[in-house]
Amino acid sequence: MSKKKQKRFLRDRRGFSLIEMLIVMTLLAIVVVMTSNTFTMVIKQSGQQTRVVESQIEGIIGLEMLRIDIEQAGYGLPWAFLNVLNYSEATTAPATNYNDSSSNVPRAILVGDNTGLNGSDYLVIKSTSVATNDTSQKWTYILYNQAPKAWSSNALSAGERVTVIKPKLDVTGQPTLVVLADGTYFCQMEDETDGAGNTYATIPAAFRPTQPGEKYVIYGVDSDTALRMPFNRADYYVKRPGSMPSHCAPGTGILYKGVVNQSDGALTELPLIDCVADMQIIIGLDTNSDGVVDSRVTTIGGLTAQQIREQIKEVRVYILAQEGERDTSYKHETQVMALGEFGLVKNLDLGSTIGTEWNRYRWKQYTLVVKPKNLYQ
Ligand SMILES: [Ca+2]
Ligand SMILES: [Ca+2]
C-alpha cells in the first residue's frame, strides 16, 4: 500500500463527529416513528383483507354447491308412478309450504317469493342427488334377468336405499317410478350369490325388469334410512340463527342449504354464506317450446310438475352479502341495493335493514345464472 493510499484509508476509518451522530440519530428516530405508524396500518389492513379473502372463498364454495344443485334439479325424479303411493316431505315450517301432495309427482323447483328474512326468496330443489350422503351420488342400471351393472368405483352396496325408475321408451313415454301394488316405492340393495359363488349387490326381485329387453335405472337416495319420499330435497334460504358471527352487520343472516331428512322430515342445515342481507330468484321460462326463454318470473306457484320441467330453462340467483368486517374508514355509497334484472328488481334499503352503520360495510352482489340440466330426461 502506497503512503497516499494508506493516508486516505486512515482518514476513512475515523469515527463520526458529534454533529454527524446527532443528525443520524434524529433521522433514525423519525424513521422509527414513521414505520411504527405504517406498521399498525398494515396490520389493521391485512386483518381486514384476510376477512375479505375468507368471505370470498366461502362465498364461492357455497355458490358452487347452489349451482350444482340447481343443475341437478329433477335428476332421478319420476314423472309418473306405477301404482298409487303416499309419501311425505318436510315437517317443519316454512319448509312444509313446498311439500307436494302425498300422491302427486314431485315438482323439481319451487320458489317462495319474498317470504324470508328481509324479504328474501326461498328456493327448493328436488332430485335424488341434492342430499349430502354418498348414496345420493350413486346410480346404476339393471337389465332383464341380469345383475345390476357394478361400477368399478362408487357402486351401490347392500343396505343402501334406492328408487327404481322405468325410463321413458319413446317421446310420449314417462319415466315411471316402480311402485309395488301395496304402495312400496323404494327398496334396499341386497346381496345375492350366483351359482359360481360370486356375491353382488342387487335389488329385490319385485323391483326388477319383467320383460326381455327392459332396462331400469336405480338411483341411490339414502345410505341407511327408510325413505319418506322417493327423492331428496334441498332448500336454500336466508335465516338468522340464535347467534350470528360477530363480524356480520346487524340485520344480516346466513344462507343455508337445508336438506330434508328422510328419517323425520326436519332439515339438516349447512351454512353456506355468512352475513347475507338478501337473496332473490328470477326464473326464465320457455312458454312456447322453442327452447328460448320468453318470460321471466319471480314466482312459479301456479305451474304443475310437468310445466316446471318443460318450461324452466334458467334460474338466476342474486345474493347480497357483506364482504370483510365493519370498517370505519370505508363508506359505502349506495343505500338502496337493487337485486335482479328484467324489470323484476327488488330493492333492499340498507339503511332500514342494517341500521345507522350500513355504509361501514362492503356490500357485494353475487349473481348466478344456471341452466338446469336434468329437468327433461
Ligand atoms: Ca323475490
Ligand atoms: Ca320460448
Side-chain angles (χ1 to χ4, degrees):
M1 195 181 282
S2 70
K3 279 220 162 172
K4 208 173 177 183
K5 278 189 177 169
Q6 206 171 20
K7 201 175 170 187
R8 191 189 298 157
F9 177 71
L10 284 172
R11 189 184 63 209
D12 287 348
R13 282 193 58 193
R14 73 195 164 90
F16 294 104
S17 69
L18 183 62
I19 190 80
E20 282 170 337
M21 278 303 280
L22 278 173
I23 292 168
V24 167
M25 285 178 70
T26 314
L27 283 174
L28 204 65
I30 292 169
V31 169
V32 167
V33 171
M34 277 175 60
T35 357
S36 69
N37 278 347
T38 322
F39 189 64
T40 341
M41 289 257 293
V42 167
I43 292 281
K44 204 176 159 197
Q45 278 178 356
S46 82
Q48 277 161 357
Q49 282 311 112
T50 315
R51 267 284 178 225
V52 169
V53 171
E54 267 174 17
S55 64
Q56 276 170 347
I57 292 169
E58 280 168 10
I60 290 161
I61 294 171
L63 291 182
E64 201 44 36
M65 187 177 275
L66 175 55
R67 172 193 296 281
I68 292 168
D69 280 356
I70 294 172
E71 283 179 351
Q72 299 281 312
Y75 176 83
L77 279 196
W79 298 10
F81 303 134
L82 205 55
N83 281 298
V84 176
L85 81 173
N86 278 292
Y87 64 90
S88 50
E89 295 184 44
T91 49
T92 54
T96 42
N97 295 332
Y98 309 94
N99 291 351
D100 275 290
S101 301
S102 64
S103 55
N104 285 2
V105 289
R107 291 166 293 174
I109 299 175
L110 293 161
V111 178
D113 190 21
N114 303 353
T115 55
L117 181 74
N118 304 336
S120 56
D121 288 348
Y122 192 102
L123 177 68
V124 176
I125 306 290
K126 298 179 188 180
S127 103
T128 57
S129 64
V130 290
T132 47
N133 71 77
D134 284 346
T135 305
S136 66
Q137 308 306 309
K138 301 177 186 177
W139 73 283
T140 189
Y141 63 85
I142 183 170
L143 299 166
Y144 175 70
N145 240 354
Q146 288 189 26
K149 166 77 180 166
W151 308 112
S152 55
S153 66
N154 220 24
L156 285 157
S157 53
E160 295 186 286
R161 265 63 173 192
V162 301
T163 55
V164 181
I165 287 190
K166 291 173 74 158
K168 63 173 184 175
L169 299 174
D170 52 47
V171 284
T172 59
Q174 308 202 80
T176 303
L177 183 74
V178 176
V179 180
L180 306 186
D182 68 358
T184 307
Y185 54 82
F186 71 93
C187 59
Q188 199 172 348
M189 297 298 289
E190 56 189 31
D191 278 338
E192 193 166 284
T193 305
D194 66 14
N198 304 309
T199 301
Y200 54 90
T202 187
I203 48 175
F207 284 86
R208 296 178 200 170
T210 54
Q211 307 290 323
E214 274 187 332
K215 174 186 172 181
Y216 289 4
V217 184
I218 302 170
Y219 292 96
V221 181
D222 200 276
S223 55
D224 55 4
T225 312
L227 306 186
R228 65 190 296 107
M229 51 194 178
F231 50 88
N232 280 307
R233 170 176 152 184
D235 296 9
Y236 284 87
Y237 49 88
V238 184
K239 193 183 93 172
R240 276 185 79 78
S243 76
M244 276 290 287
S246 58
H247 69 280
C248 289
T252 59
I254 292 178
L255 174 65
Y256 285 99
K257 171 179 177 173
V259 178
V260 177
N261 297 336
Q262 291 286 352
S263 56
D264 60 4
L267 270 63
T268 297
E269 294 186 320
L270 199 67
L272 295 184
I273 306 178
D274 281 348
C275 321
V276 174
D278 201 354
M279 173 177 77
Q280 290 295 314
I281 313 282
I282 294 178
I283 305 283
L285 298 175
D286 169 23
T287 60
N288 59 355
S289 314
D290 66 354
V292 181
V293 171
D294 49 62
S295 169
R296 310 268 182 183
V297 291
T298 58
T299 171
I300 49 171
L303 299 187
T304 63
Q306 183 182 352
Q307 288 170 324
I308 285 169
R309 64 175 175 260
E310 288 176 353
Q311 295 185 12
I312 296 185
K313 298 297 173 204
E314 189 186 276
V315 176
R316 292 196 180 215
V317 185
Y318 309 84
I319 293 169
L320 181 67
Q322 160 201 337
E323 248 186 353
E325 311 187 293
R326 188 176 73 102
D327 182 355
T328 48
S329 66
Y330 175 76
K331 196 161 187 290
H332 192 81
E333 295 299 329
T334 319
Q335 183 177 339
V336 178
M337 300 293 286
L339 279 88
E341 297 163 85
F342 316 112
L344 299 172
V345 169
K346 186 217 164 189
N347 289 318
L348 185 84
D349 186 329
L350 288 170
S352 58
T353 311
I354 306 303
T356 50
E357 294 220 291
W358 65 271
N359 59 356
R360 299 304 187 192
Y361 296 87
R362 292 176 168 80
W363 298 102
K364 179 171 179 180
Q365 189 174 160
Y366 302 85
T367 305
L368 212 58
V369 180
V370 192
K371 299 197 183 313
K373 293 176 178 166
N374 291 275
L375 287 177
Y376 219 82
Q377 39 200 311

